[in-house]
Amino acid sequence: MPESSDLLIAASTIWVVVAAVLVMFMQAGFAFLEAGLTRMKNAGHIAGKNVLIFAICSLVYWAVGFGFAFGGGNGFVGTAGFFPSVEELVSVGQKPFDWFSEVPGAAGYLFEVVFAGVSLAIVWGSMAERAKLWVYFAFGVCFTLCYSVTSHWIWSPHGWLFKKGMQDFAGSTVVHYQGALAALAGALLLGPRIGKFGHDGRANPIPGHNIPYAVLGTLILWFGWFGFNPGSTLGVDLGGFGYFAYVALTTNVAAAAGALGGIVTAWVVLKKPDLSMMLNGVIAALVAITAASGYVAPWAAIVVGLVAGFIAVVGVIAVERIGIDDPIGAVAVHGASGVWGTLACGLFTVPMLADRLATGHGGLVYTGSFHQLGVQLLGVAVVGAWTFSASFGLLWTMKKLWGIRVHEEAETLGLDVSEHGMWGYPEFYIPVPGGYDAWVTAPWERELRPQRPAPRPGSPATAPAPESA
Amino acid sequence: MPESSDLLIAASTIWVVVAAVLVMFMQAGFAFLEAGLTRMKNAGHIAGKNVLIFAICSLVYWAVGFGFAFGGGNGFVGTAGFFPSVEELVSVGQKPFDWFSEVPGAAGYLFEVVFAGVSLAIVWGSMAERAKLWVYFAFGVCFTLCYSVTSHWIWSPHGWLFKKGMQDFAGSTVVHYQGALAALAGALLLGPRIGKFGHDGRANPIPGHNIPYAVLGTLILWFGWFGFNPGSTLGVDLGGFGYFAYVALTTNVAAAAGALGGIVTAWVVLKKPDLSMMLNGVIAALVAITAASGYVAPWAAIVVGLVAGFIAVVGVIAVERIGIDDPIGAVAVHGASGVWGTLACGLFTVPMLADRLATGHGGLVYTGSFHQLGVQLLGVAVVGAWTFSASFGLLWTMKKLWGIRVHEEAETLGLDVSEHGMWGYPEFYIPVPGGYDAWVTAPWERELRPQRPAPRPGSPATAPAPESA
Amino acid sequence: MPESSDLLIAASTIWVVVAAVLVMFMQAGFAFLEAGLTRMKNAGHIAGKNVLIFAICSLVYWAVGFGFAFGGGNGFVGTAGFFPSVEELVSVGQKPFDWFSEVPGAAGYLFEVVFAGVSLAIVWGSMAERAKLWVYFAFGVCFTLCYSVTSHWIWSPHGWLFKKGMQDFAGSTVVHYQGALAALAGALLLGPRIGKFGHDGRANPIPGHNIPYAVLGTLILWFGWFGFNPGSTLGVDLGGFGYFAYVALTTNVAAAAGALGGIVTAWVVLKKPDLSMMLNGVIAALVAITAASGYVAPWAAIVVGLVAGFIAVVGVIAVERIGIDDPIGAVAVHGASGVWGTLACGLFTVPMLADRLATGHGGLVYTGSFHQLGVQLLGVAVVGAWTFSASFGLLWTMKKLWGIRVHEEAETLGLDVSEHGMWGYPEFYIPVPGGYDAWVTAPWERELRPQRPAPRPGSPATAPAPESA
Amino acid sequence: MVKVEAVVIRERVETVIDAVEDATGHVGVTVIEAVGHGRQRGITHEYRGRVFESRFLPKAVLIFLVKDEIAERVQATVIDAARSGHESGDGICWRSPAENVTHHRTGRLLEEVEVGA
Amino acid sequence: MVKVEAVVIRERVETVIDAVEDATGHVGVTVIEAVGHGRQRGITHEYRGRVFESRFLPKAVLIFLVKDEIAERVQATVIDAARSGHESGDGICWRSPAENVTHHRTGRLLEEVEVGA
Amino acid sequence: MVKVEAVVIRERVETVIDAVEDATGHVGVTVIEAVGHGRQRGITHEYRGRVFESRFLPKAVLIFLVKDEIAERVQATVIDAARSGHESGDGICWRSPAENVTHHRTGRLLEEVEVGA
Ligand SMILES: Nc1ncnc2c1ncn2[C@@H]1O[C@H](COP(=O)(O)OP(=O)(O)O)[C@@H](O)[C@H]1O
Ligand SMILES: Nc1ncnc2c1ncn2[C@@H]1O[C@H](COP(=O)(O)OP(=O)(O)O)[C@@H](O)[C@H]1O
Ligand SMILES: Nc1ncnc2c1ncn2[C@@H]1O[C@H](COP(=O)(O)OP(=O)(O)O)[C@@H](O)[C@H]1O
């Protein structure tokens, strides 16, 4: 007969692992959202790079990131749990990963690494269609470390912001805002894509090549977010047994409100119900509710989502106005909306829920106190300063030393063929043997040519028949 | 040490939430099934509208739908639980959502709202490629309410059909048949797409633009259905601990039989193994087994699936024959097959399983009694009358007052560009800066033009060289 | 108050069912990986066949496969549990499926059938773009049976290789190597696609038509693999409560290493970071870690993944060199890498983990003993001989009797239109009413033609105006 | 022979081809997808708040190689059948001489082949 | 009238059309996507270790039907505007007579219509 | 110069181009994708039980601008190389005069350039 403590571990591990797996799948969501909102000539590269960066992140986070973030330590960084051993990973609630009290260290790694992967995925949205391939490797490693340190501040019980009672349930600040800060740094240092801005500075629309891809990506993200937020209970009993279901509810109504906020804002402000804006609205709302999902009432979740949908639309336009080329809109959708979500806790956190989760206090509308809002603001300010300057500094150095942007011809030709040697949709670009609209005999294949039939009698090659015309 | 009752809540909530999340993902399945089976010029709109309607449904269902369906009440409608509070959502087995005895009210909401979303998604399949955008908003709200009332009849312990012992395990009638009834009303009131029927009334094939999308959609639906049917145990012990695994088995063998039923029927009847028919067969089988999955033996599940595959093929052809333009085949696949599945319970329900689930009695083949079949028939008849007339009435009114179909030019041009301003695959339609087969200088961007090099000596602009030819 | 034994069943069943559902979704992964790496003209067929074969497999496995594999029996084949009854499927730990001690027989079926489906999906990767449709039916049935027998040897407690202590945690040999062996037999008997090899035997590249599809497929596979490996604990306590989280960790770091191994090898050896090679590297690594995921340390998992990434690249090139046309690279990615993963257990298995799982002994690097390596080699050799000869024999017979390859014209035209009558992307190939770049009046629709306006005065039809030019 | 070329709206491609066959019995045409710019206004697009017009509209180019004697008749038929009644965009038609029009399969002059046919 | 045809790189399509309109006031052009092969080298591709060059490069064919008197001017403008300054691949331009150029919508000769416009 | 145009099946595009280069040394061609309708039967399609035939088949149009003296030889080579041996669909070839064929990059007549090359 199993102990009920064993069953608690079993149930919590199921939940955390399943949630982690859902979040891991968000990589496919980003791959398709980003590929859909960029051009055909870069589609393979854009989609494929998500596999690459998640791979880099997975190894770096196992080696040191997880230790930085949750390996005990001081208020600023974890100091243990690097290259964790089998024992450290299979045991439950033991040092250095004792923060994970109901699941094995391995489950902790799995759940946290997919978050790091999401944050890293956001970065490249704004840098899309012009960054060199090696930059993904180099900056991918650096950002993963930077991210790990910040997450320690807010999510590790040793972290100084955690101690201040900052509320960031699943990472509006840690994951999304951070990713957006690096994205902003990258977009600024790379400069706009060729053709994005005219000589008078007016922006040209560069519509994405596949809206269905963007829809698939958005729905995969919505799907994955049910692991992202509810899974952040790190077990089955945080906030009460089954409380994570409530987190899923606030997540869903917020996302729904974001879709409506986005499409209605676009309809009213831009005069057209732009589909890409509706999708941005959904993601912005999910980003915003990420911090608040465990703390707020359903009505507040809806408000958070509606406002986020509005932020997505005006934010994307505003970023373009000030001359930044952000192909996916990450700065507005993950940055501005991430800040909004973090601050929203200071406004709408239900005191009873803050107590249940034993983090911080009730929000302004309930308590009339600006305390929590102040804590949230502090967190946003500090993280903003640290992550932006670190990212900018790193990318600036790389730019100076080796250059981070592909050559003009490469960019014009497209990254698929220039960086990887082959188009993402080859049959639309070159003759493929037996391919679309193509000439079965590929240009690079001589022998294959069908033998010419012997000229028939009366054929021009032998007789002058046509000449006589 | 956690109580085993707490662990029961934990396990049940994990299962119900995971199942709900799988069902939510079915929106992506419908988006791609429908986008794949319609035309390129509408692809963005078709895929995107699934995000829109699920958003509408999520908010309406939270506000009132959930209360109508499960908020206690009388035999016809729930009367409590509107705009549910935090307390109502986090507590387990408390009024007004006491029907959910092992999971928090929030888990109940989450699981039920995704079902409403599926039912609503079905509606638009038959209305695809010609409905006005605002109709999605207006009818989306109305249908969600109509759906909530009907689901109360059959799934709430207070519901009058529930009391009669109607067997609809996961909603062949509640979810699929209802969606198909509204779809039929919509298809009738909209009329066929331009070019669908010739002057002699003969139908033209309008093949979908992307079969791989349709395959992806179908596999996502199959995947999601493992939440749809097994999750309907609403906990881990209905029918016995782990019984939901058996429900997953019947679901899988039925879907498999549906694929074979569909492709073989197409091969024999239509002389070609039409892929879209195989996919329809899968979905029809999943629809049919939805009601029966908890009640029938594996062999019966296979029979249900095979017949459903057959129904899908002949049903789609028949609907077309009588002059109804149903782009996706929702009327046949969700309607006819939903009825078949509901009645199949009356034929094949294993008495032992009916007892396990404490709903209704064994089916004709076991008991020789027509009782259960009668109950099933009654349910089908009443729901058919109510939902069809309600939907038809609502859409008819909207049509008379404002019109529900886009203008001919808009339909010809495609909904992506006419409703949303931009194509779903822009690079195939217009020159995009740096886009496919396009002219880097976008038409709307003058300054960007490369400056012309100074004419060289001897160039025609200065010297009459060519003229001299 | 539920018994804790009931709760153990509940938790285990949740885990096993969820894992099974994730693995089932891998069919979508294979569908898109394979469709993406082949040509447009076959895209519908390639994607759709995964639905077909999984359907066939699901029914055959229910009828006899599951009994062969796990229905008690002797060392070579199971002899009970054919056409399992409701009772056999809902009971837990009862004969004939007593091997599944913590979940109902139905959960056992569900988890095992999706594995058979994966193995079968691999087969067709190498046979893509030229096999006749009926072969999928015929060989699908045969292979499912062949697979069931082999899986009995290694995974059933009665199996002779199981008794020898062979370590194949989730099926590098049982699932992947077997699939690759049949794939190899198929590729050899079918011969290369038209245009693949020139007269001098040099290979022509036939790039896949959609890299984003291939990326989606790979990410879905990675996602599904979190059910594949961790789910193979068949419950929540094998190896200790929550041990499956550790299995998920080794799976993830190996896959990550495989991506890097693949792209770096391609960059160094082939001089280009070929995206399809990176994706192959991920899958090869997942294949390799499948056998080892429960037995090895994280560092070893990374080694296994890196080497697998290397194997994928050189293997694909090598297979092409020796004149075998393997469109997807299944022989290298599932075959060579599957063997590597199986042998890797003999090298890297941690003794403590072998004990935890009570299967075999520690690997060479820990024990200095070649014993386990020997057992692994034996398994690989025997399975290789049996499955390859069985598959080759069956396909050879089919080839002789009826022919297994489509006619040259059919292959040139593409399987979508020749086998199924319609293109996978119709609007790119034929005029569809209201379709892309098409002529609204479809060729097959006469009446639809717009009536010609009456010739205006002065129009050439009446007056000779133009003639006067 | 004479080469008759026409730029028509895509909806009219088949109408024109059938009309030519009905009126002159001529079978044989090559169709090329094209885009055109002329007096007609393009389609307006909007993306993320930016409005712009695509100046090019989809058209098709039809190429008929016909016997001299029926050239005028063919052209007249094309012009007539290409007219859609829309207020703009119907396109144009012209002809020019083509020498030594030869049929690949037989290697003989197309005229002879058509007679033969 | 005269038919002026040009093979140009795609980036220059609009430059050329605008230049013609600016220089001669002529409006009306049909554009066809094409690929060309000439002195210019193609793009190199690599897939799974196999390197190959696609001999064809994307070009566009422009067709202008213009009044005889402006034909030379139009052609000269095209030639001038089509030059990109790249070292290869700019294409060629030629002209040939077109008879009886008729405007579908009105059924009248294009020349008359243009005058009318 | 002379413009030699041919409609060929797509499989033959490169065969023809190579044959022309081998036989006459001429380099330079523009290829346009087209669909054709003639004596050849189209492909039969079936969707959801409805059978129909697409009357158009994929072809390619080749445009060669060549020196007068080699025009006949080029055309003869094209006709010969375009023949696939299929029973139908090989297409046709014709020629017509092209005036003032100019080379954009140099602004000089193509003939002179080719001599230069
Ligand atoms: N002078 C011309 N040269 C080449 N193509 C032309 C010319 N004039 C018109 N066209 C073609 O005919 C199409 C229709 O011409 P347009 O002026 O738009 O129609 P309409 O003359 O009926 O208003 C154009 O899109 C273009 O493709
Ligand atoms: N003789 C020709 N006949 C037909 N098209 C030609 C001819 N010469 C050049 N072209 C077209 O012009 C394009 C550019 O020619 P190319 O020789 O590559 O450029 P350049 O002469 O500037 O080096 C070719 O791709 C082809 O489309
Ligand atoms: N009179 C014509 N005018 C224009 N194109 C033609 C003509 N005759 C044939 N063609 C082109 O040649 C292709 C082959 O002609 P077809 O009659 O089908 O082959 P065959 O003459 O060998 O039977 C057609 O598809 C069409 O593109």
Side-chain angles (χ1 to χ4, degrees), chain D residues 7-9 34-41 55-61 86-92 94, chain E residues 1-2 26-31 62-66 101 103-106 110 113-114:
Chain D
V7 178
V8 304
I9 59 176
V35 295
H37 170 61
R39 282 157 286 274
Q40 187 184 19
R41 301 297 316 279
R55 65 158 73 167
F56 295 100
L57 288 158
K59 307 285 170 185
V61 173
H86 298 157
E87 67 289 332
S88 189
D90 283 350
I92 60 177
W94 65 90
Chain E
M1 294 176 85
V2 176
H26 173 82
V27 172
V29 61
T30 299
V31 183
L62 302 183
I63 304 173
F64 297 88
L65 282 138
V66 300
V101 183
H103 183 246
H104 291 149
R105 176 161 49 88
T106 55
L110 187 60
V113 177
E114 287 180 344

Coordinates of all heavy atoms in Angstrom, one line a residue, chain D residues 7-9 34-41 55-61 86-92 94, chain E residues 1-2 26-31 62-66 101 103-106 110 113-114, ligand 1:
Chain D
V7 N -4.8 40.0 -74.2 CA -4.8 40.1 -72.7 C -6.2 40.2 -72.3 O -7.0 41.1 -72.7 CB -4.1 41.4 -72.3 CG1 -4.1 41.5 -70.8 CG2 -2.6 41.4 -72.8
V8 N -6.6 39.2 -71.5 CA -8.0 39.2 -71.0 C -8.1 39.0 -69.5 O -7.1 38.5 -68.9 CB -8.8 38.0 -71.7 CG1 -8.7 38.1 -73.2 CG2 -8.3 36.7 -71.3
I9 N -9.2 39.2 -68.9 CA -9.4 38.9 -67.5 C -9.5 37.4 -67.4 O -10.0 36.8 -68.3 CB -10.6 39.7 -66.9 CG1 -11.9 39.3 -67.6 CG2 -10.4 41.2 -67.0 CD1 -13.1 39.9 -67.0
A34 N -0.6 36.5 -66.3 CA 0.1 37.7 -66.3 C -0.6 38.7 -65.3 O -1.7 38.4 -64.8 CB 0.0 38.3 -67.7
V35 N 0.0 39.8 -65.1 CA -0.7 40.9 -64.3 C -0.6 42.1 -65.2 O 0.4 42.3 -66.0 CB 0.0 41.1 -63.0 CG1 -0.2 39.9 -62.0 CG2 1.4 41.5 -63.1
G36 N -1.6 42.9 -65.1 CA -1.6 44.1 -65.9 C -1.8 45.4 -65.2 O -2.3 45.4 -64.0
H37 N -1.4 46.5 -65.8 CA -1.6 47.8 -65.2 C -2.1 48.7 -66.4 O -1.5 48.7 -67.5 CB -0.3 48.3 -64.7 CG -0.3 49.8 -64.3 ND1 -1.2 50.2 -63.3 CD2 0.4 50.8 -64.8 CE1 -1.0 51.5 -63.2 NE2 -0.1 51.9 -64.1
G38 N -3.2 49.4 -66.1 CA -3.7 50.3 -67.1 C -4.6 51.3 -66.5 O -4.3 51.8 -65.5
R39 N -5.7 51.5 -67.2 CA -6.7 52.5 -66.6 C -7.4 52.1 -65.4 O -7.8 52.9 -64.5 CB -7.7 52.9 -67.7 CG -7.2 53.8 -68.8 CD -8.0 53.7 -70.1 NE -7.7 52.4 -70.8 CZ -6.6 52.3 -71.6 NH1 -5.9 53.4 -71.9 NH2 -6.4 51.2 -72.2
Q40 N -7.5 50.7 -65.2 CA -8.3 50.2 -64.1 C -7.6 50.4 -62.8 O -6.4 50.3 -62.7 CB -8.5 48.7 -64.4 CG -9.4 48.0 -63.4 CD -9.4 46.5 -63.7 OE1 -8.5 46.0 -64.4 NE2 -10.4 45.8 -63.2
R41 N -8.4 50.6 -61.7 CA -7.8 50.8 -60.4 C -7.5 49.4 -59.8 O -8.2 48.4 -60.1 CB -8.9 51.4 -59.5 CG -9.4 52.8 -59.9 CD -8.2 53.8 -59.9 NE -7.4 53.7 -58.7 CZ -7.7 54.2 -57.5 NH1 -8.8 54.9 -57.3 NH2 -6.9 54.1 -56.5
R55 N -1.1 48.0 -57.7 CA -1.4 48.6 -59.0 C -1.6 47.5 -60.0 O -2.1 47.8 -61.1 CB -0.3 49.5 -59.4 CG 1.0 48.8 -59.7 CD 1.9 49.6 -60.6 NE 2.4 50.8 -59.9 CZ 3.4 51.5 -60.4 NH1 3.9 51.2 -61.6 NH2 3.9 52.5 -59.8
F56 N -1.2 46.3 -59.7 CA -1.4 45.2 -60.8 C -2.6 44.3 -60.5 O -2.9 44.0 -59.4 CB -0.1 44.3 -60.7 CG 1.1 45.1 -61.1 CD1 2.0 45.5 -60.2 CD2 1.4 45.3 -62.5 CE1 3.2 46.2 -60.6 CE2 2.5 46.0 -62.8 CZ 3.4 46.4 -61.9
L57 N -3.2 44.0 -61.6 CA -4.4 43.1 -61.6 C -4.2 41.9 -62.3 O -3.5 41.9 -63.4 CB -5.6 43.9 -62.1 CG -6.1 45.0 -61.2 CD1 -6.9 46.0 -61.9 CD2 -6.9 44.4 -60.0
P58 N -4.7 40.7 -61.9 CA -4.5 39.5 -62.6 C -5.2 39.5 -64.0 O -6.3 39.9 -64.1 CB -5.2 38.4 -61.7 CG -6.1 39.2 -60.8 CD -5.5 40.6 -60.6
K59 N -4.4 39.1 -65.0 CA -4.9 39.0 -66.3 C -4.3 37.7 -66.9 O -3.5 37.0 -66.2 CB -4.4 40.1 -67.2 CG -4.7 41.5 -66.6 CD -6.1 41.9 -66.8 CE -6.4 43.2 -66.0 NZ -7.8 43.5 -66.0
A60 N -4.7 37.3 -68.1 CA -4.1 36.2 -68.8 C -3.8 36.6 -70.2 O -4.6 37.3 -70.8 CB -5.1 35.0 -68.7
V61 N -2.7 36.1 -70.7 CA -2.4 36.3 -72.1 C -2.7 35.0 -72.9 O -2.3 33.9 -72.5 CB -0.9 36.6 -72.2 CG1 -0.5 36.7 -73.7 CG2 -0.6 37.9 -71.5
H86 N -17.8 44.7 -67.4 CA -17.3 45.5 -66.3 C -16.9 46.9 -66.8 O -16.8 47.1 -68.1 CB -16.0 44.9 -65.7 CG -16.2 43.5 -65.1 ND1 -15.2 42.6 -64.9 CD2 -17.4 42.9 -64.7 CE1 -15.7 41.5 -64.4 NE2 -17.0 41.7 -64.2
E87 N -16.7 47.8 -65.9 CA -16.4 49.2 -66.5 C -15.0 49.4 -66.8 O -14.6 50.4 -67.4 CB -16.8 50.3 -65.5 CG -16.0 50.3 -64.2 CD -16.4 49.1 -63.3 OE1 -17.5 48.6 -63.4 OE2 -15.5 48.6 -62.6
S88 N -14.1 48.4 -66.5 CA -12.7 48.6 -66.8 C -12.0 47.2 -66.7 O -12.4 46.3 -66.1 CB -12.1 49.6 -65.9 OG -10.8 49.9 -66.3
G89 N -10.9 47.1 -67.4 CA -9.9 46.0 -67.2 C -10.1 44.9 -68.2 O -9.4 43.9 -68.0
D90 N -10.9 45.0 -69.3 CA -11.1 43.9 -70.2 C -9.9 43.6 -71.1 O -9.9 42.5 -71.6 CB -12.3 44.2 -71.0 CG -13.6 43.9 -70.2 OD1 -13.5 43.4 -69.1 OD2 -14.7 44.3 -70.7
G91 N -9.0 44.5 -71.2 CA -7.8 44.2 -71.9 C -7.8 44.5 -73.4 O -8.7 45.2 -73.9
I92 N -6.8 43.9 -74.1 CA -6.7 44.2 -75.5 C -6.3 43.0 -76.3 O -6.0 42.0 -75.8 CB -5.5 45.3 -75.7 CG1 -4.2 44.8 -75.2 CG2 -5.9 46.6 -75.0 CD1 -3.1 45.7 -75.4
W94 N -4.3 41.9 -80.3 CA -3.6 42.3 -81.5 C -3.1 41.1 -82.2 O -3.2 40.0 -81.8 CB -2.4 43.2 -81.1 CG -1.3 42.5 -80.3 CD1 -0.3 41.8 -80.8 CD2 -1.3 42.3 -78.9 NE1 0.5 41.3 -79.8 CE2 -0.1 41.6 -78.6 CE3 -2.1 42.8 -77.8 CZ2 0.3 41.2 -77.3 CZ3 -1.7 42.4 -76.5 CH2 -0.5 41.7 -76.3
Chain E
M1 N 0.3 49.8 -84.5 CA 1.1 50.1 -83.3 C 2.3 49.3 -83.2 O 2.5 48.4 -84.1 CB 0.2 50.0 -82.1 CG -0.9 50.9 -82.0 SD -2.0 50.7 -80.6 CE -1.2 51.6 -79.3
V2 N 3.1 49.5 -82.2 CA 4.3 48.7 -82.1 C 4.3 48.0 -80.7 O 3.8 48.6 -79.7 CB 5.6 49.7 -82.1 CG1 6.8 48.9 -81.8 CG2 5.6 50.4 -83.4
H26 N 2.9 57.2 -71.6 CA 2.1 56.0 -72.0 C 1.7 55.2 -70.7 O 2.5 54.9 -69.9 CB 3.0 55.1 -72.9 CG 2.3 53.7 -73.1 ND1 1.4 53.5 -74.0 CD2 2.5 52.6 -72.4 CE1 1.0 52.3 -74.0 NE2 1.6 51.7 -73.0
V27 N 0.4 54.9 -70.7 CA -0.1 54.0 -69.6 C -0.6 52.7 -70.2 O -1.3 52.8 -71.2 CB -1.2 54.7 -68.8 CG1 -1.8 53.8 -67.8 CG2 -0.6 56.0 -68.1
G28 N -0.2 51.6 -69.6 CA -0.7 50.4 -70.1 C 0.4 49.4 -70.3 O 1.3 49.6 -71.2
V29 N 0.4 48.3 -69.5 CA 1.5 47.4 -69.6 C 1.0 46.0 -69.1 O 0.1 46.0 -68.3 CB 2.7 47.8 -68.8 CG1 2.4 47.9 -67.3 CG2 3.9 46.9 -69.0
T30 N 1.6 45.0 -69.7 CA 1.3 43.6 -69.2 C 2.6 43.0 -68.8 O 3.6 43.1 -69.5 CB 0.6 42.8 -70.3 OG1 -0.6 43.4 -70.6 CG2 0.3 41.4 -69.8
V31 N 2.6 42.4 -67.5 CA 3.8 41.9 -67.0 C 3.7 40.4 -66.8 O 2.6 39.9 -66.3 CB 4.1 42.5 -65.6 CG1 5.4 42.0 -65.0 CG2 4.1 44.1 -65.7
L62 N 8.1 42.4 -69.8 CA 7.1 43.5 -69.9 C 6.7 43.7 -71.4 O 7.5 43.6 -72.3 CB 7.8 44.8 -69.5 CG 8.4 44.9 -68.1 CD1 8.9 46.3 -67.8 CD2 7.3 44.5 -67.1
I63 N 5.4 43.8 -71.6 CA 4.8 44.0 -72.9 C 4.1 45.4 -73.0 O 3.2 45.6 -72.2 CB 3.8 42.9 -73.3 CG1 4.5 41.6 -73.2 CG2 3.3 43.2 -74.7 CD1 3.5 40.4 -73.3
F64 N 4.6 46.3 -73.8 CA 4.0 47.6 -74.0 C 3.5 47.6 -75.4 O 4.3 47.4 -76.4 CB 4.9 48.7 -73.9 CG 5.6 48.9 -72.5 CD1 6.7 48.2 -72.2 CD2 5.0 49.7 -71.5 CE1 7.3 48.4 -70.9 CE2 5.6 49.9 -70.3 CZ 6.8 49.2 -70.0
L65 N 2.2 47.9 -75.6 CA 1.8 48.2 -77.0 C 1.6 49.7 -77.1 O 0.8 50.3 -76.4 CB 0.5 47.5 -77.3 CG 0.8 46.0 -77.6 CD1 -0.2 45.1 -76.9 CD2 0.9 45.8 -79.1
V66 N 2.4 50.3 -78.0 CA 2.5 51.8 -78.0 C 2.3 52.3 -79.5 O 2.5 51.6 -80.4 CB 3.8 52.3 -77.5 CG1 4.0 51.8 -76.0 CG2 5.0 51.8 -78.4
V101 N -4.5 46.5 -83.2 CA -4.5 46.5 -81.8 C -5.9 47.0 -81.3 O -6.1 48.2 -81.4 CB -3.4 47.2 -81.1 CG1 -3.4 47.1 -79.6 CG2 -2.0 46.8 -81.7
H103 N -9.2 47.3 -78.5 CA -9.5 47.4 -77.1 C -10.8 46.7 -76.8 O -11.8 47.0 -77.4 CB -9.6 48.9 -76.8 CG -9.9 49.2 -75.4 ND1 -11.0 49.8 -74.9 CD2 -9.1 49.1 -74.3 CE1 -11.0 50.0 -73.6 NE2 -9.8 49.6 -73.2
H104 N -10.7 45.7 -75.9 CA -11.9 44.8 -75.8 C -13.1 45.5 -75.3 O -14.2 45.4 -75.8 CB -11.5 43.7 -74.7 CG -10.6 42.7 -75.2 ND1 -9.7 42.1 -74.4 CD2 -10.3 42.3 -76.5 CE1 -8.9 41.2 -75.1 NE2 -9.3 41.4 -76.4
R105 N -13.0 46.4 -74.3 CA -14.1 47.0 -73.6 C -15.0 47.8 -74.7 O -16.2 47.6 -74.7 CB -13.7 47.9 -72.5 CG -14.8 48.6 -71.8 CD -14.4 49.1 -70.4 NE -13.2 49.8 -70.5 CZ -13.1 51.1 -70.7 NH1 -14.1 51.8 -71.0 NH2 -11.9 51.7 -70.7
T106 N -14.2 48.5 -75.5 CA -15.0 49.4 -76.4 C -15.1 48.8 -77.8 O -15.8 49.2 -78.7 CB -14.2 50.7 -76.6 OG1 -12.9 50.4 -77.0 CG2 -14.2 51.5 -75.3
L110 N -7.1 50.6 -80.1 CA -6.5 51.1 -78.9 C -6.1 52.5 -79.1 O -6.3 53.4 -78.3 CB -5.4 50.2 -78.4 CG -4.7 50.6 -77.1 CD1 -5.8 50.5 -76.0 CD2 -3.6 49.7 -76.8
V113 N -8.9 54.8 -78.7 CA -9.3 54.8 -77.3 C -8.4 55.8 -76.5 O -8.8 56.6 -75.7 CB -9.3 53.4 -76.6 CG1 -9.6 53.5 -75.2 CG2 -10.2 52.5 -77.4
E114 N -7.1 55.6 -76.7 CA -6.1 56.4 -76.0 C -6.3 57.9 -76.3 O -6.3 58.7 -75.4 CB -4.7 55.9 -76.3 CG -4.4 54.5 -75.6 CD -3.0 54.0 -75.9 OE1 -2.4 54.6 -76.8 OE2 -2.6 53.2 -75.1
Ligands
LIG1 N1 -0.9 49.6 -74.1 C1 -0.9 48.4 -73.5 N2 0.1 47.6 -73.5 C2 0.1 46.4 -72.9 N3 -0.9 46.0 -72.2 C3 -2.0 46.8 -72.1 C4 -2.1 48.0 -72.7 N4 -3.2 48.6 -72.4 C5 -3.9 47.7 -71.6 N5 -3.2 46.6 -71.4 C6 -3.6 45.4 -70.7 O1 -5.0 45.4 -70.6 C7 -5.4 45.4 -69.2 C8 -6.7 46.2 -69.1 O2 -6.4 47.5 -69.5 P1 -7.2 48.7 -68.7 O3 -6.8 50.0 -69.2 O4 -7.1 48.5 -67.2 O5 -8.7 48.3 -69.0 P2 -9.7 49.3 -69.8 O6 -8.9 49.8 -70.9 O7 -10.9 48.5 -70.1 O8 -10.0 50.4 -68.7 C9 -4.3 46.0 -68.5 O9 -4.3 45.5 -67.1 C10 -3.1 45.5 -69.2 O10 -2.7 44.2 -68.8

